[in-house]
Amino acid sequence: MVKNNYSSGRNEDRLASPNGGNIEQLWAADDSPGAHRGDMMPIYGSEATFNINTMLLENIRSSDYFRQLSVIRQWDELVDTIFYDVKPEFGCTPWLRGTHKAQRASGLCSGLRGVANAGKPTTGFILLVKAITMRPTMNQLRGLLDHPDSAYIRAIGLYLLRYIAEPRDLLNWFKPYLDDEDPLYLEGGPQPTPPPITIGSLARQLLRTLDFHGTRLPRLPVLVMRELEEGLKEWDAADMELEKLQAANDADEPPAKEREAPARPKERETDLARGRENERKKREEKEREKTERPKELDRPKLKEPEAGPTSPDKIAKETVDKEKDERSKSREKEDRVQRDRERDRERERERERRPGTNAGGGTRYAQIDHEREREYDRRGDDRRGGSGGGGYRG
């Protein structure tokens, strides 16, 4: 098999350092306040994949943004990054809405070239993997769940628990947040954006389902699932009513132009207004260019005349073709003369082997017969004089 020497080295770097330089946080000394290594939360399951779907994890590890996060070593700095980088227009689902497809990519090295149809992971899930690699402590995890400034920080805390926490401890962790009414736009992407949900509904969804927005959550033991179903019974009616309402909205969904847009944060409203203003200015600039453009520039360009029979290209082509024909005829003539000479030599040798010839060149009749055969061959005539293709053989 031929070795591929055209790799950019990106895949080799990813295999050598899967987490792209993202390692544990800087721990405080034992005799000083702060996060200590002995207090970090253990990972239930695989410490290599963090129980995350392989396709999703490999796309996160291959992103440039994830590698840039390797400079963050302090937990507070990571929390600030989540606050500023996770935005409502991108959401906080595993895949950016509209980019993930179920079928696999085809083609040579499609995954290595970065054109796989798996989709693009959201900033929220990239920061989730970064948080897991930093190995948070119990207190740091509680700080995420109870953060007062951003619902997305709290959502990442719930994700982190669902992936690495002990399954039998999940209900105790999630119980204080099952009734939380803090809203967040879970799905971003192109307009129209789906309506917001609450932290409580997100927590119940993470405990009830395995298929979560295009990815697969870690499977839970059967006994743990039964315990969760028993603990979530009091929310069954609310969740079923919410599912029916969503199904009805999907069935009677109005056209995109008539659909009422959900409430947006002030920052997003400002960005949209700025974008509309820029589009209006561009349209006015185009209209101004059309009105101020000289009429001479709007005239259609004359079509250039096509090459005629006496064009230089045609003359050159005819000359080349003529030279080729002459060379071909010359080669055919030389071949014909050479064949005649070979034929003559062969007949000379044949006459010398026949009886009745002498050293002087043969009898008179043999010479006449030789001249006749040569003339026939030259004219291409198949006729021969006498029997056996010749005249009298002396």
Side-chain angles (χ1 to χ4, degrees):
M1 186 173 65
V2 179
K3 184 180 179 182
N4 179 12
N5 292 324
Y6 300 98
S7 177
S8 63
R10 182 186 186 92
N11 192 41
E12 287 78 0
D13 295 341
R14 185 166 58 87
L15 293 176
S17 178
N19 291 325
N22 291 280
I23 57 177
E24 297 178 6
Q25 60 181 302
L26 294 176
W27 302 106
D30 295 337
D31 55 350
S32 61
H36 300 91
R37 184 181 180 85
D39 299 332
M40 69 180 180
M41 184 175 180
I43 294 178
Y44 177 83
S46 174
E47 294 190 4
T49 63
F50 315 128
N51 307 313
I52 299 176
N53 177 267
T54 305
M55 179 185 293
L56 176 60
L57 182 61
E58 291 304 318
N59 276 268
I60 290 174
R61 286 173 169 173
S62 300
S63 65
D64 294 330
Y65 179 71
F66 180 67
R67 295 179 176 273
Q68 294 170 5
L69 294 175
S70 60
V71 298
I72 299 178
R73 298 293 306 278
Q74 297 290 342
W75 184 258
D76 293 340
E77 186 178 357
L78 174 64
V79 175
D80 292 340
T81 304
I82 297 174
F83 178 80
Y84 288 110
D85 289 0
V86 181
K87 300 179 180 179
E89 53 263 32
F90 301 118
C92 198
T93 54
W95 303 103
L96 188 63
R97 190 165 67 94
T99 64
H100 178 64
K101 298 180 181 179
Q103 67 268 22
R104 297 183 62 183
S106 60
L108 182 63
C109 303
S110 58
L112 300 181
R113 296 197 317 268
V115 296
N117 61 358
K120 296 180 180 180
T122 59
T123 306
F125 256 71
I126 294 176
L127 289 167
L128 167 65
V129 177
K130 171 62 179 178
I132 298 175
T133 58
M134 294 184 71
R135 304 302 303 269
T137 63
M138 297 286 187
N139 291 332
Q140 290 173 341
L141 185 53
R142 291 190 183 93
L144 292 180
L145 296 173
D146 299 329
H147 202 282
D149 296 335
S150 174
Y152 295 102
I153 297 177
R154 305 181 66 192
I156 291 177
L158 293 175
Y159 291 151
L160 196 149
L161 277 175
R162 184 61 176 85
Y163 276 109
I164 70 171
E166 181 81 20
R168 58 188 177 185
D169 297 335
L170 284 177
L171 187 59
N172 294 331
W173 275 105
F174 277 68
K175 209 163 189 178
Y177 310 102
L178 296 177
D179 286 324
D180 199 298
E181 297 296 331
D182 193 8
L184 80 160
Y185 287 89
L186 190 64
E187 297 183 67
Q191 293 292 329
T193 305
I197 66 172
T198 62
I199 289 293
S201 61
L202 174 62
R204 297 193 298 270
Q205 187 177 359
L206 291 174
L207 294 179
R208 287 181 183 274
T209 62
L210 294 178
D211 295 320
F212 182 74
H213 294 278
T215 192
R216 190 82 171 169
L217 296 176
R219 189 178 297 274
L220 299 175
V222 177
L223 295 179
V224 175
M225 288 294 297
R226 291 176 182 174
E227 182 183 354
L228 292 176
E229 290 294 335
E230 187 69 23
L232 296 175
K233 273 186 177 180
E234 56 181 300
W235 290 277
D236 286 346
D239 290 341
M240 290 180 62
E241 188 67 26
L242 180 61
E243 291 179 1
K244 290 181 181 180
L245 182 60
Q246 290 178 351
N249 291 337
D250 294 339
D252 301 332
E253 189 175 6
K257 292 183 179 179
E258 301 176 1
R259 190 182 302 148
E260 182 179 358
R264 303 185 181 92
K266 293 182 179 180
E267 296 180 358
R268 191 174 181 189
E269 289 287 353
T270 305
D271 294 341
L272 292 175
R274 190 182 297 111
R276 288 192 291 268
E277 182 67 20
N278 293 337
E279 290 294 333
R280 186 183 61 79
K281 290 181 179 179
K282 289 181 181 179
R283 288 195 299 269
E284 292 179 355
E285 186 68 23
K286 289 182 180 179
E287 293 295 334
R288 191 180 303 109
E289 289 179 357
K290 289 182 180 180
T291 55
E292 296 177 357
R293 183 183 178 90
K295 294 184 179 180
E296 291 80 3
L297 299 179
D298 295 333
R299 295 177 181 175
K301 294 183 179 180
L302 297 177
K303 194 174 181 180
E304 296 182 359
E306 298 180 355
T310 59
S311 62
D313 294 340
K314 188 170 183 179
I315 295 175
K317 184 178 180 181
E318 291 177 354
T319 304
V320 172
D321 294 341
K322 186 175 181 181
E323 291 177 354
K324 287 183 179 179
D325 293 339
E326 291 177 354
R327 286 196 297 269
S328 178
K329 292 179 181 179
S330 176
R331 283 195 298 269
E332 291 177 359
K333 185 176 181 181
E334 292 176 359
D335 294 342
R336 187 167 58 252
V337 173
Q338 184 67 20
R339 288 195 299 270
D340 290 344
R341 290 175 181 173
E342 292 293 335
R343 194 181 297 113
D344 291 342
R345 294 192 191 99
E346 183 64 28
R347 288 172 179 169
E348 282 293 333
R349 288 192 292 270
E350 183 67 25
R351 281 198 302 271
E352 290 176 358
R353 290 193 295 269
R354 290 174 186 171
T357 59
N358 53 24
T363 62
R364 174 173 174 269
Y365 296 103
Q367 293 174 357
I368 294 174
D369 186 40
H370 170 65
E371 294 294 338
R372 186 182 295 114
E373 287 183 352
R374 185 173 182 179
E375 183 65 25
Y376 284 154
D377 291 336
R378 184 177 292 110
R379 292 184 305 175
D381 196 348
D382 294 336
R383 296 174 298 171
R384 297 290 185 270
S387 63
Y392 171 74
R393 308 292 184 185

